[in-house]
Amino acid sequence: TWNLATGKLERSVPLPDVPSSIAYARDGTQVAMAAGKKLLAANAADGKTVLEIDAPAALGSVSFNSDKTRLLATGADGRARVFDVALK
């Protein structure tokens, strides 16, 4: 997260590969990232990883459903996958 007032980086989340997609949950409390075959979710406030899933193919876009119980991700194999995650 960048502090716009100071222009300084305040926190970051290490990723295993270049991210193909990043999505915030509607309430802004979590962020999901697709990077290679990894699907990760982290707390937006502190950057702590709360979920890490290995997918069978490289991932493209990622999106939360409205109550953060599922993540939808597209794959390089032409499939869309729904992951039950129930993030609170």
Side-chain angles (χ1 to χ4, degrees):
T1 305
W2 288 95
N3 181 319
L4 296 178
T6 65
K8 295 188 180 199
L9 179 65
E10 292 184 344
R11 75 187 64 78
S12 64
V13 176
L15 298 173
D17 203 344
V18 176
S20 57
S21 182
I22 298 173
Y24 271 95
R26 280 184 173 187
D27 64 5
T29 60
Q30 266 116 17
V31 59
M33 298 148 281
K37 292 183 177 183
K38 291 278 187 189
L39 179 61
L40 298 107
N43 290 326
D46 61 11
K48 180 182 174 188
T49 300
V50 294
L51 172 79
E52 187 171 333
I53 295 173
D54 291 312
L59 298 171
S61 63
V62 63
S63 180
F64 282 98
N65 73 332
S66 62
D67 64 358
K68 299 183 297 187
T69 58
R70 294 184 184 101
L71 285 168
L72 172 68
T74 60
D77 59 359
R79 295 178 183 242
R81 291 178 173 83
V82 177
F83 297 92
D84 289 319
V85 295
L87 298 173
K88 299 292 178 197

